[in-house]
Amino acid sequence: MPDDRPFHAVTPPAEPPTTPATGATRRRFIAATAAASGAAVVGGLAAGQPALAAETARGSRASTTVGGSKDHRNAKKEKRMRIVAVEEAFSVPGAIRQEEAIRQRMAVPEAIKREWFRRLDDLTELRLADMDANGVDVQVLSYSTPGVEVIEDPAEAVAAARHINDCLAKAVAAHPKRFAGFATLPMQDPEAAVVELRRAVKELGFKGALYNDHVRGHYLDEPQFRPVWAELERLGVTLYLHPAVVPADNWRVFDGYPVLVGPSWGWTATVGAHALRLIYGGVFDRFPGASVMLGHMGELLPFQMARLDSRYDQVPAEHRVRHLPSYYLRNNVYVTTSGVMSHAALLGAVHAVGVDRVLFSIDYPFESSAEAVRFLRSAPYAPADLARIAHGNAERVLVL
């Protein structure tokens, strides 16, 4: 199966760059984000405490950029670089009946939860101050988990989605240069989801949609969701595939190790598997113009591309799709940096899928804007490629 479509990749430097250590490990409290058992809610709302970008000891040599230029790292250029963050959460108090009960069951220290929820519910004062302090020009806002996916009744889900989208549209209209939006869709009723997607894009001006992994164990490769993919393709907007705070099922391999269930590993495993279902299920053969965004450096799929391709010849012919898996990862998938502040991971993702398919995100308020922006500005890339990651790709893909 040929897979020769060109893509724009940047070759990493011979010696990977290093950054000063901060004295702590990333996601240092992740162990606190697991629930006690079974179908209980697992993990935090999105990603945990502020991530730390450190990867080497203090005193290590400074990073060098691809091509040897360091100009983009001086303070003046840092201040001028436009930054668009594309996975930034907000909430609408009372929009979902189940939300408060789910929040109460989260095994996260109360002080952390209070700060998260204070910032999720705020769409102006705290958020804009944080953006200004850290040089973030635009946040693309999406409704925080638990989203409408936890609602059982389809009619209730439709009403909640419309209410959330209307609230978001007002916030964007009030600050059109600072905010853009991803729609919430009631996938419990795919036909209603099509109607709401069309309204959100055409009337409210949203840039795509964000979906929290599953609706009661149903995944988007299933036939009932084909009208949604057709509308996404027709409108030319992307779907951000995000983890779900409530798991679809329980994996025995996680038994006794709740730290594995949520953002440290389980969410990556489940969302990455969902994305592979879309690929192997032929979604992008039926709808070649459709696309998804995957956070956390593509839920690590860029680093598995060679393995996916090498094993593909073992797939029975009747279950094969038109191209190797890597083709879809380079043509139908966009990768964001949310929650993975590692230059080594960024270099690998860019080299795998191409610099034009990697977008910056923070995962506010679950991650630190200061740490995320510091990670971005110190990334080992020439100014033109860094600008693509920081804002250019988001502006192109989302038509900002």
Side-chain angles (χ1 to χ4, degrees), residues 66-79:
V66 174
S69 171
K70 297 182 181 179
D71 289 346
H72 68 290
R73 298 191 61 195
N74 66 55
K76 290 184 178 179
K77 285 184 180 291
E78 284 182 358
K79 290 180 181 178

Side-chain angles (χ1 to χ4, degrees), residues 116-153:
W116 282 353
F117 303 148
R118 186 171 78 101
R119 291 183 174 275
L120 282 171
D121 295 346
D122 169 81
L123 273 171
T124 53
E125 184 178 356
L126 298 173
R127 188 178 301 262
L128 288 172
D130 183 272
M131 293 168 66
D132 290 342
N134 295 290
V136 177
D137 295 276
V138 178
Q139 281 191 0
V140 182
L141 302 174
S142 52
Y143 193 77
S144 177
T145 53
V148 298
E149 292 81 8
V150 301
I151 300 174
E152 294 186 24
D153 179 58

Side-chain angles (χ1 to χ4, degrees), residues 37-56:
S37 63
V41 176
V42 295
L45 280 184
Q49 271 293 79
L52 300 176
E55 296 186 30
T56 61

Side-chain angles (χ1 to χ4, degrees), residues 101-115:
I102 291 172
R103 285 180 170 186
Q104 290 175 358
R105 292 164 61 190
M106 290 167 51
V108 178
E110 284 301 317
I112 294 172
K113 287 198 289 186
R114 281 196 301 271
E115 184 62 18

Side-chain angles (χ1 to χ4, degrees), residues 208-220:
L210 182 138
Y211 175 75
N212 294 300
D213 196 29
H214 69 92
V215 171
R216 301 184 63 77
H218 290 283
Y219 294 97
L220 296 181

Side-chain angles (χ1 to χ4, degrees), residues 30-37 42-43 107 253-264 266:
I30 272 300
T33 64
S37 63
V42 295
V253 70
F254 293 159
D255 288 354
Y257 294 89
V259 67
L260 298 177
V261 181
S264 65

